[in-house]
Amino acid sequence: MIRPLILLILFTFSSCKAQEKANDIVLQPEVVNYTFETVASGIDIPWGMTWLPDGSMLVTEKSGIIYHLKDKKKSEISNVPKVVARGQGGLLDIAVHPNYDKNGWIYITYSSDEGEEKGAHTQLIRAKLEGQSLTQIQTLYKATPNTNKGHHFGSRIAFDNDGFVYFTIGDRGNHPENPQDIKRDGGKVYRLHDDGKIPTDNPFVGQQGAKEAVYSFGHRNPQGMTKHPVSGKIWTHEHGPKGGDEINIVKKAANYGWPVITYGIDYDGSTISNLTEKEGMEQPIYYWLPSIAPSGMVFVAGDRYPTWKGHLLVGSLVFQYLELVKLDGEKVIGRQKVATDIGRLRDVKQGPDGYIYMAVEGKGIIKIVPKG
Amino acid sequence: MLFFSFGSLIFADENSAYHFINPSNDELVKSISRGKEVYADFCMQCHLGNGKGSETVPPLAASDWLVNKRKESIHAVKYGQSGPIKVNGKSYNGRMSPMGLSDDEVADVMNYIMNSWGNKQSKMVTVSEVKAVKK
């Protein structure tokens, strides 16, 4: 009995922790039947984007600028809160409320030094736009404690069909303590009412010492989150370490395993965990090995891109392309390269006009226009 | 404590051999040790633990750029780096974001990378040297 077990263990070690994935879905080469149109240039690190009812765009730039793109002109929004632009931190995501035309609320996440300790942590605010200035700024959540660590702030914002706002915070470079502890911020997906109140049916409400805004935990650094257009479920992806980037569907109270289980290894090649699965911890819908460094995600809806419809687009920072992740329900069945060598792709969204927009570092905002 | 009691011998990184540093240069040893933390936080995800980088990320280990372009190297760590560069005969045209490091963190991480993975530059990068590198 013992020998097969040892062999099994050896096999598990060698197969799961290799930096190539056995029987992976092959990434198909790009089939170009579209052109790229630059919507805005000269934006250093465009991080998040959203649209106002008049069709104009708001784009966050990591160092702390919000650009307003209207009639092919780019202007800066004033009264943007001070951000800590350090490492992966800075001005992060931006999203308008689903009923923006009635309530005017804009949601923003950023790295904030608010609080007693040195350093920064992720903060969610909402504000209104008056003229070209942010007003009525309200803090809905500020994670604590601040830390000087430069990585894993998250953060993406999404709204579900029931009026809740979700946002992500990465593990802030403290994976031994943060992701598995619901009493600590970081490594979590959070859920709030749109005014910042904690929903009474959040999973850890009433538990002694719990961060009651937490909705799911065991995340590493989610920088992609979007609502599925049909099921209404909230999907995320997250950066693994070296290997093991994941796509997950957010479930209440679920533990996504980091760092107890992971398909990746540390950057210096050392093992973080020998486990890739464990009872009580979620398996991803899909994982990337090697890491693509995913940022931004959107499901393609509408009829502008018939062969992409219903599938998922994910930006890759490290390989500098857009990936079309083909789905059959909640199962990944194909992968297709789009926008080969476009640059470090930070965000991807579908505009109200039905076009796909990419936010590319060092370039700006680029629209994908189908041919014919 | 054991670490410093070795005096001239420091173990700069898991992936490199032991190497020697002038034992009188205690400041450099301390700076390297602080720089290792900065490296793990801000640099390692792309340049990797062994300093070898990848297809798109130039190496720091045995990098001729790091030796010949001291000021440019400090500039890159301080303000970010974009556009074409050639390292060890290979061309790169990537993009490194500004990290938002303080001047002392830039000095520390420079001292770390200049004295790891077989690299050895005994002339210490000081905070005032970093301060003098302007955008």
Side-chain angles (χ1 to χ4, degrees):
Chain A
M1 278 309 286
I2 289 173
R3 191 164 294 172
L5 182 66
I6 290 170
L7 280 175
L8 182 68
I9 290 169
L10 283 174
F11 177 75
T12 308
F13 271 89
S14 55
S15 64
C16 295
K17 294 301 176 179
Q19 283 296 293
E20 266 180 50
K21 189 174 167 185
N23 306 316
D24 194 12
I25 297 161
V26 176
L27 179 65
Q28 300 293 337
E30 182 168 14
V31 180
V32 181
N33 49 9
Y34 39 77
T35 56
F36 298 130
E37 185 186 316
T38 300
V39 177
S41 58
I43 304 178
D44 196 30
I45 305 179
W47 219 98
M49 47 187 166
T50 192
W51 281 264
L52 299 175
D54 65 359
S56 67
M57 278 178 92
L58 295 175
V59 176
T60 51
E61 199 283 326
K62 184 171 165 287
S63 68
I65 304 165
I66 299 178
Y67 289 108
H68 187 202
L69 308 182
K70 191 177 182 181
D71 305 327
K72 300 189 171 174
K73 281 196 206 106
K74 183 175 79 187
S75 58
E76 287 186 25
I77 300 295
S78 61
N79 201 32
V80 176
K82 181 173 80 81
V83 308
V84 179
R86 180 180 150 90
Q88 297 169 1
L91 187 55
L92 305 173
D93 207 16
I94 187 164
V96 298
H97 192 285
N99 297 322
Y100 179 84
D101 51 354
K102 294 193 186 69
N103 62 33
W105 286 115
I106 299 166
Y107 293 71
I108 297 166
T109 50
Y110 64 101
S111 311
S112 155
D113 65 1
E114 200 175 290
E116 297 290 305
E117 322 84 13
K118 279 189 177 173
H121 216 312
T122 307
Q123 181 161 347
L124 172 72
I125 61 166
R126 67 172 181 175
K128 294 191 178 185
L129 195 59
E130 201 177 288
Q132 289 289 92
S133 180
L134 290 186
T135 62
Q136 301 180 51
I137 296 173
Q138 299 174 355
T139 295
L140 305 188
Y141 198 84
K142 168 65 177 62
T144 57
N146 292 338
T147 158
N148 264 325
K149 290 272 183 184
H151 45 286
H152 304 172
F153 291 85
S155 166
R156 291 289 174 193
I157 303 165
F159 296 87
D160 71 4
N161 290 332
D162 301 316
F164 296 108
V165 57
Y166 295 73
F167 64 103
T168 65
I169 304 181
D171 69 17
R172 293 298 288 111
N174 186 358
H175 70 249
E177 289 191 286
N178 290 340
Q180 288 295 320
D181 188 349
I182 57 156
K183 295 175 182 174
R184 295 181 65 89
D185 278 316
K188 312 289 183 331
V189 172
Y190 297 78
R191 183 178 79 149
L192 297 172
H193 285 290
D194 61 2
D195 62 357
K197 275 204 308 286
I198 290 170
T200 52
D201 64 341
N202 262 13
F204 306 113
V205 165
Q207 285 194 27
Q208 182 80 32
K211 300 281 180 183
E212 295 183 331
V214 170
Y215 194 70
S216 67
F217 65 108
H219 298 280
R220 185 171 177 275
N221 191 27
Q223 291 190 329
M225 182 160 61
T226 192
K227 183 184 76 178
H228 191 282
V230 179
S231 73
K233 290 180 185 174
I234 300 295
W235 289 48
T236 59
H237 60 56
E238 65 184 63
H239 297 274
K242 198 175 172 199
D245 300 343
E246 300 181 351
I247 300 176
N248 292 302
I249 299 174
V250 176
K251 292 193 291 191
K252 186 175 178 171
N255 180 354
Y256 291 83
W258 173 252
V260 180
I261 57 172
T262 175
Y263 287 92
I265 55 174
D266 213 343
Y267 296 107
D268 61 7
S270 65
T271 302
I272 295 164
S273 169
N274 289 321
L275 302 179
T276 54
E277 50 189 286
K278 192 173 179 181
E279 206 180 325
M281 295 183 184
E282 300 295 319
Q283 280 296 305
I285 297 289
Y286 181 76
Y287 69 92
W288 283 277
L289 195 65
S291 290
I292 67 163
S295 192
M297 71 194 293
V298 70
F299 290 99
V300 182
D303 299 317
R304 285 210 191 272
Y305 311 88
T307 58
W308 295 1
K309 191 174 177 176
H311 301 311
L312 184 64
L313 290 169
V314 175
S316 167
L317 291 165
V318 63
F319 294 125
Q320 314 200 350
Y321 67 90
L322 184 64
E323 183 164 321
L324 178 71
V325 178
K326 293 185 179 171
L327 298 164
D328 178 10
E330 296 180 349
K331 187 173 161 24
V332 173
I333 54 164
R335 299 168 61 209
Q336 166 95 51
K337 211 169 188 180
V338 180
T340 307
D341 296 330
I342 192 86
R344 284 171 57 83
L345 215 157
R346 201 23 105 176
D347 198 14
V348 56
K349 285 265 167 72
Q350 189 164 25
D353 57 8
Y355 286 109
I356 300 295
Y357 290 77
M358 302 179 286
V360 181
E361 294 190 4
K363 290 190 174 167
I365 308 300
I366 296 168
K367 181 162 110 177
I368 303 178
V369 184
K371 276 186 188 160
Chain B
M1 291 316 284
L2 192 61
F3 182 84
F4 288 108
S5 70
F6 280 121
S8 63
L9 197 59
I10 75 158
F11 195 30
D13 189 81
E14 291 90 331
N15 300 305
S16 69
Y18 286 89
H19 66 258
F20 291 91
I21 280 182
N22 182 347
S24 64
N25 206 343
D26 197 33
E27 280 306 308
L28 177 57
V29 174
K30 283 184 189 158
S31 175
I32 288 170
S33 154
R34 289 191 302 267
K36 185 178 178 174
E37 295 291 309
V38 177
Y39 186 83
D41 264 22
F42 293 88
C43 318
M44 194 160 73
Q45 298 180 358
C46 300
H47 289 286
L48 303 186
N50 58 15
K52 285 186 179 157
S54 64
E55 261 314 290
T56 52
V57 178
L60 304 170
S63 157
D64 60 352
W65 212 77
L66 196 57
V67 176
N68 301 329
K69 309 236 178 210
R70 181 180 175 102
K71 196 175 165 187
E72 289 87 342
S73 296
I74 296 171
H75 191 278
V77 176
K78 193 171 174 181
Y79 300 111
Q81 162 68 36
S82 60
I85 60 168
K86 204 172 218 181
V87 180
N88 298 344
K90 188 174 183 296
S91 295
Y92 296 86
N93 193 3
R95 213 170 163 283
M96 180 170 86
S97 309
M99 292 295 143
L101 299 176
S102 62
D103 287 350
D104 52 337
E105 288 172 319
V106 173
D108 290 342
V109 81
M110 282 297 298
N111 287 321
Y112 173 70
I113 62 177
M114 294 194 324
N115 292 285
S116 297
W117 321 295
N119 294 348
K120 188 181 183 308
Q121 291 197 49
S122 48
K123 192 190 162 201
M124 183 177 171
V125 174
T126 61
V127 177
S128 56
E129 186 180 357
V130 174
K131 205 165 276 173
V133 176
K134 303 288 182 205
K135 208 165 187 173

